[in-house]
Amino acid sequence: MADPNDRPALTNADTFSEGSRDRASLPLHIKRHLLVFPTTLPPMLRRQLSPASLWHRTPVCLFCAARSQTRLPQRQSIRHKSERAVPIRKHAVKDKKKSGVKLGEEDEDESEGPRSIKRVMLGDKKKRDKGKNEEREAIAISTLYPSDLKFEAVEVDKPPVPMLSYGLDRVLFNPGVYRLQDPRTQVYNFDPYLEKIMPANEFDFDALSEYKTSSKDEDLLALTRRIGTKFTGSTSSMSSMLQHFHYILSNFRKLNHGMLSRQFPEPSSKFSRITLGPSAVFLRYKDGTYAIDADKSYDSPNIMSWLGHSLEKLLTTERSEFEKFRRSSPEKAPAEENASRCYHYSKQGNIMMRSQLDAVDPRLPGTGVFDLKTRAVVSIRMNHKHYEEGSGYQLRHSLGEWESFEREFYDMTRATMLKYSLQVRMGRMDGIFIAYHNIERIFGFQYLSLSDMDAVLHGQHDTILGDQEFKLSLNLVDELLVKATEQFPNTSIRLHFEAREGKTPFMYIFAEPVTEEQADEIQSAGEAAQKEFAQNVVGVGKGDAETQAAWQEAQDDVDEQVDAEKTSEEVEAQEDEHSTTVEDVEQDIVEETAEAAEEATEDSDDVAEDMLENPAAPQGPLMGWTLTARSLVNGGYVDRPEQITEFDDWKIEYHVKEIPEEKRWKLYKSLQARRHSLIGQDEEAVDRGLKHYRDLIQRYSNRGRAWREEQDRINATKGVQLFRPLGPGSDAVASQHDIVQGNEISDNPDVVDNQARE
């Protein structure tokens, strides 16, 4: 009699199909799988599934490997005598190599041998994915080595470069901030004449040579044609564009604020939002060459740019010469000619750069040239339209969150230091000389070498990393400008750049051809406001022919109205009929002002809405690209190069991809909307956003003004003391005459010069 246990073991499929009685006892999740899993499987597959039918005497779901809570009748897992195990086919490694199949992969076309559950369920998905990958077009990857790029000087004759006056050259060789006056002893480290700034409306800006943009500098354009380059620009017009290449090549490297004190609370390691925002330039076509001009569509007048010119003249001119620039001075300063401006010219590839030279000291390394920067305090920068309200803000401390030099340095690292470092490199300079002020007074000075700035921006004092990144950036700009001009030849082009942070940082580049009339219209959008500010606040341009002609026309119109004026009786009769009070007139003015502000806000909002509501509507020819770059250091990929030395090998791989035509305008309008939201907001919106911040700073400004008045009273009582070397080895002899009393200081420059010589 046969043993009842001597029977073939049931496979999972056989067990699931024994009958409705057994099905009813199965768990719900197994019943659900039976709807999609066949109950009748090929014998070959059943034999492969048979060993898995009992797992610790409990059925197992083939999909989720979950044990059933219902026990099936125990079956002995033995093989039927008539069944033989199917041998597993083994492929030698050499056969794999010959057939082109990777090690560990199964032959997709092979019909023999056992098939895994994964292959049964997924079918030929792996094969489809493989075909999909083969169909994709290969990415054209370009490689760039910094050592292959040559940044070189273009030698031209130039007038002498000025030097610092008043003994300020001591600052160049002393790290840190050099105060104009010591706050503890009230001793001046430099001539007290430097402290009080000449008001902008008293300085004769007409005597200074006019600044020319790249497209209007005929000497620059002629030199560009002579040396055979295709593009040319100034340091100020190119720096905002080059900033975005730093972002992608450094993978948005965090700022290094290790030099800040513990008194400064939680510094942000990111650049400011405006600094990270999109930038735009114009390529102005000029007889076969292209001049790079900064996009001025959102430029607004401010007192800081005007004072920058006058303070540069102050720091490099002796007192008697500088006083000639005062409008009330009987002896006028001779008008500067354009030839008096000093420039460095440099080139790399198809690009030539022009850099104005502010000052020089032969004791500094390299060319000895450095840039002059005037840095207004935070209260002025945050409310430059009403700068008088913030002029009481003082720099009283070295360290701390407010009223400190440390605060001004921190803000500079997040906003302008990257731009400064790029300008220094374009001009082959050594560093920047900074004068901190609040529009009314100068507080102190600081010299930052390129190495000091690189420590913040690149995380190392060795300038080799920043130098290599700069050359790579110029080469990428060169290539993109060539692409844009090939797409739209012999015409002016408006270019937008924006680096985008993400898992893989990339950059948007858009090129839009424009006519000369369109370019002039965009560039002159803020020209009327600039002229009005210059005339009303600074006092510039009131005597030029264009202004005079406009005034003559206006005066003629006034004369006509005077001639047609009604008699006094008619006026009185009309006033009786339409009498109004002063309060009514004032209320009308208030309402009209509010209405005008509201209309300005609505117009500004309409611009942003138009950009976003119909972003894809084409408005003309447009080309767009994305730029992606990866860094390799010593043969290996890295997120960003760090602590690079001359013995390290850094190169980049990059890819420029054309944006599909149907997406260009949508992305372009979105970029323009982001730029508008950062620097194109109306004054009312800006005021609302900065109200709390401005109120806080205003309290410091009011308190600082009271403190300054008290200090002035102390100085008047104690007398002004100017530092001079005393003691053995000094040129001066300690005596009462070495201390200059306040009543001994004369406003006459000749008297002061005589006192200094004595």
Side-chain angles (χ1 to χ4, degrees):
M1 183 175 178
D3 188 350
N5 294 327
D6 189 12
R7 54 180 295 185
L10 293 176
T11 65
N12 281 10
D14 295 331
T15 303
F16 295 160
S17 60
E18 278 189 333
S20 59
R21 180 174 57 83
D22 290 336
R23 283 175 180 268
S25 63
L26 294 178
L28 179 61
H29 72 285
I30 295 181
K31 293 180 182 179
R32 187 180 300 114
H33 294 324
L34 287 176
L35 297 177
V36 296
F37 193 80
T39 57
T40 303
L41 297 178
M44 184 182 302
L45 185 57
R46 286 205 306 270
R47 287 195 296 270
Q48 294 297 316
L49 297 179
S50 178
S53 61
L54 294 177
W55 180 36
H56 295 288
R57 298 183 178 273
T58 306
V60 180
C61 173
L62 300 179
F63 293 87
C64 59
R67 298 182 185 179
S68 171
Q69 299 299 319
T70 304
R71 289 184 176 272
L72 297 179
Q74 295 184 5
R75 308 288 185 183
Q76 187 175 2
S77 180
I78 58 175
R79 194 182 308 279
H80 195 272
K81 294 181 180 180
S82 62
E83 294 180 349
R84 292 182 301 174
V86 179
I88 300 176
R89 296 187 61 183
K90 296 182 179 180
H91 299 271
V93 175
K94 61 180 181 180
D95 294 334
K96 292 283 185 180
K97 292 182 179 179
K98 290 181 180 180
S99 61
V101 180
K102 294 182 180 179
L103 184 62
E105 287 188 359
E106 297 181 6
D107 190 352
E108 299 290 348
D109 297 329
E110 185 180 354
S111 58
E112 300 180 7
R115 301 177 68 193
S116 66
I117 296 298
K118 183 177 180 181
R119 288 184 59 190
V120 171
M121 302 307 302
L122 299 181
D124 294 334
K125 182 177 184 299
K126 184 182 294 186
K127 186 175 182 179
R128 291 196 303 270
D129 291 342
K130 183 178 179 181
K132 182 179 179 181
N133 293 334
E134 291 177 352
E135 292 174 1
R136 297 185 64 183
E137 183 179 354
I139 296 177
I141 300 175
S142 303
T143 304
L144 204 56
Y145 291 86
S147 57
D148 295 340
L149 306 175
K150 188 176 182 181
F151 179 78
E152 55 187 336
V154 177
E155 299 296 341
V156 296
D157 295 333
K158 59 179 180 292
V161 182
M163 298 182 66
L164 290 173
S165 57
Y166 304 100
L168 291 171
D169 49 354
R170 279 184 290 167
V171 180
L172 303 175
F173 312 104
N174 288 272
V177 174
Y178 218 123
R179 291 176 180 263
L180 178 59
Q181 182 187 27
D182 177 49
R184 187 175 65 88
T185 62
Q186 282 77 46
V187 173
Y188 282 89
N189 290 306
F190 303 100
D191 192 336
Y193 177 74
L194 290 170
E195 184 177 38
K196 294 185 179 180
I197 299 174
M198 183 184 296
N201 58 0
E202 294 184 17
F203 187 87
D204 185 10
F205 289 95
D206 293 325
L208 300 179
S209 59
E210 180 185 4
Y211 173 80
K212 292 185 178 181
T213 59
S214 303
S215 60
K216 296 181 180 180
D217 190 342
E218 294 298 334
D219 295 335
L220 175 63
L221 296 174
L223 180 61
T224 303
R225 298 186 189 99
R226 181 164 60 85
I227 66 174
T229 54
K230 188 175 183 179
F231 310 104
T232 186
S234 64
T235 55
S236 58
S237 65
M238 295 180 60
S239 55
S240 61
M241 169 182 62
L242 286 170
Q243 287 182 143
H244 290 268
F245 291 86
H246 165 74
Y247 302 147
I248 63 167
L249 292 180
S250 67
N251 194 4
F252 288 84
R253 185 196 312 277
K254 294 182 179 181
L255 296 169
N256 172 30
H257 287 134
M259 68 290 299
L260 297 181
S261 69
R262 294 184 178 181
Q263 298 182 35
F264 200 88
E266 299 180 3
S268 172
S269 60
K270 293 185 177 181
F271 291 97
S272 66
R273 291 176 60 246
I274 292 180
T275 305
L276 291 170
S279 65
V281 297
F282 279 94
L283 277 183
R284 304 298 295 265
Y285 180 70
K286 299 292 181 180
D287 298 329
T289 62
Y290 294 86
I292 303 172
D293 284 352
D295 189 319
K296 299 180 180 180
S297 55
Y298 291 121
D299 279 10
S300 60
N302 65 80
I303 191 66
M304 294 176 288
S305 60
W306 288 98
L307 276 184
H309 298 307
S310 64
L311 289 179
E312 287 177 9
K313 182 62 65 175
L314 169 67
L315 300 177
T316 56
T317 310
E318 63 176 351
R319 178 175 177 175
S320 59
E321 288 297 320
F322 182 74
E323 279 294 329
K324 294 179 182 179
F325 287 92
R326 193 183 294 272
R327 291 184 181 275
S328 59
S329 174
E331 186 178 1
K332 297 297 181 182
E336 294 181 349
E337 298 179 357
N338 291 330
S340 64
R341 287 187 177 267
C342 307
Y343 295 107
H344 263 172
Y345 298 95
S346 309
K347 69 180 289 282
Q348 178 180 307
N350 293 313
I351 303 177
M352 189 180 73
M353 291 143 278
R354 182 197 72 185
S355 174
Q356 182 175 330
L357 309 182
D358 293 338
V360 67
D361 192 295
R363 293 166 291 184
L364 292 175
T367 62
V369 176
F370 54 93
D371 220 351
L372 296 180
K373 301 296 182 183
T374 54
R375 182 73 176 172
V377 294
V378 61
S379 61
I380 305 298
R381 299 195 309 272
M382 291 295 104
N383 196 10
H384 63 84
K385 292 185 180 298
H386 305 284
Y387 59 89
E388 301 93 344
E389 299 176 3
S391 59
Y393 189 92
Q394 307 291 313
L395 295 186
R396 302 166 55 191
H397 315 292
S398 297
L399 309 175
E401 184 178 8
W402 300 107
E403 297 183 300
S404 70
F405 289 95
E406 186 177 33
R407 173 75 198 200
E408 305 307 316
F409 176 83
Y410 166 73
D411 287 349
M412 182 170 55
T413 62
R414 299 188 61 220
T416 59
M417 184 171 287
L418 178 57
K419 179 179 69 174
Y420 291 164
S421 71
L422 291 169
Q423 292 174 354
V424 166
R425 283 190 160 92
M426 281 187 276
R428 294 179 281 117
M429 305 180 194
D430 180 70
I432 58 174
F433 181 94
I434 308 166
Y436 297 99
H437 67 92
N438 70 347
I439 300 297
E440 293 181 352
R441 293 173 181 266
I442 293 179
F443 300 109
F445 311 95
Q446 185 176 12
Y447 185 74
L448 292 176
S449 67
L450 190 58
S451 175
D452 296 329
M453 291 185 281
D454 277 10
V456 177
L457 301 169
H458 301 285
Q460 62 179 65
H461 284 278
D462 192 338
T463 61
I464 187 171
L465 174 56
D467 293 339
Q468 292 185 0
E469 181 187 279
F470 172 68
K471 293 195 295 183
L472 291 171
S473 299
L474 281 179
N475 192 89
L476 293 173
V477 170
D478 188 352
E479 181 175 336
L480 291 168
L481 295 185
V482 169
K483 286 181 177 291
T485 53
E486 288 177 349
Q487 185 70 31
F488 307 113
N490 303 329
T491 186
S492 294
I493 304 172
R494 191 184 191 188
L495 288 154
H496 281 76
F497 300 84
E498 184 188 24
R500 303 286 287 172
E501 187 174 7
K503 183 178 180 181
T504 301
F506 68 97
M507 183 190 298
Y508 282 125
I509 306 98
F510 290 99
E512 180 184 10
V514 293
T515 63
E516 291 303 309
E517 292 75 15
Q518 290 173 328
D520 290 337
E521 182 180 358
I522 295 173
Q523 292 292 72
S524 61
E527 187 174 336
Q530 295 279 5
K531 285 187 175 181
E532 181 181 2
F533 183 88
Q535 293 178 1
N536 297 337
V537 179
V538 184
V540 173
K542 294 184 177 179
D544 61 86
E546 182 179 353
T547 304
Q548 282 296 317
W551 266 103
Q552 289 291 344
E553 182 179 354
Q555 188 60 48
D556 291 342
D557 183 57
V558 171
D559 293 340
E560 291 178 4
Q561 295 184 59
V562 170
D563 293 339
E565 194 68 64
K566 298 177 181 179
T567 63
S568 59
E569 292 80 3
E570 293 174 334
V571 172
E572 290 177 0
Q574 189 172 3
E575 287 179 351
D576 291 338
E577 294 178 3
H578 306 283
S579 61
T580 56
T581 64
V582 175
E583 289 78 6
D584 294 334
V585 175
E586 291 178 347
Q587 184 62 29
D588 291 340
I589 294 175
V590 171
E591 291 177 356
E592 290 173 2
T593 304
E595 184 178 355
E598 184 177 355
E599 290 176 355
T601 304
E602 291 175 354
D603 293 341
S604 177
D605 293 340
D606 290 342
V607 172
E609 290 175 2
D610 291 341
M611 290 179 178
L612 297 175
E613 285 180 359
N614 194 19
Q619 300 181 9
L622 178 71
M623 178 54 69
W625 300 273
T626 58
L627 168 66
T628 310
R630 301 182 68 189
S631 291
L632 294 92
V633 176
N634 300 328
Y637 288 102
V638 295
D639 288 338
R640 62 182 62 86
E642 294 180 313
Q643 301 301 324
I644 296 296
T645 68
E646 59 180 334
F647 304 106
D648 293 311
D649 179 32
W650 176 33
K651 68 176 181 179
I652 64 168
E653 294 178 350
Y654 67 97
H655 175 60
V656 179
K657 182 179 180 180
E658 186 176 308
I659 298 176
E661 185 175 0
E662 64 274 10
K663 296 181 179 180
R664 291 173 195 165
W665 275 104
K666 179 181 179 180
L667 295 173
Y668 183 44
K669 288 299 183 182
S670 298
L671 181 149
Q672 289 181 315
R674 289 191 293 272
R675 184 167 182 249
H676 173 82
S677 66
L678 290 173
I679 59 176
Q681 289 185 338
D682 60 277
E683 295 181 24
E684 186 177 352
V686 174
D687 291 341
R688 287 196 303 267
L690 296 177
K691 185 179 185 306
H692 175 74
Y693 196 52
R694 286 175 174 173
D695 290 344
L696 174 64
I697 295 177
Q698 188 61 45
R699 291 196 292 270
Y700 282 103
S701 181
N702 296 337
R703 188 176 69 179
R705 183 174 283 107
W707 177 84
R708 172 50 61 184
E709 292 174 356
E710 178 64 23
Q711 294 300 307
D712 289 343
R713 285 193 292 269
I714 295 175
N715 289 339
T717 303
K718 188 176 181 179
V720 177
Q721 301 182 60
L722 176 63
F723 170 80
R724 293 182 183 181
L726 302 178
S730 63
D731 296 333
V733 178
S735 66
Q736 186 65 26
H737 297 288
D738 293 331
I739 301 177
V740 182
Q741 300 297 331
N743 55 5
E744 294 179 2
I745 295 181
S746 173
D747 292 333
N748 189 335
D750 296 332
V751 175
V752 174
D753 292 340
N754 292 333
Q755 291 177 348
R757 283 193 293 270
E758 292 175 359

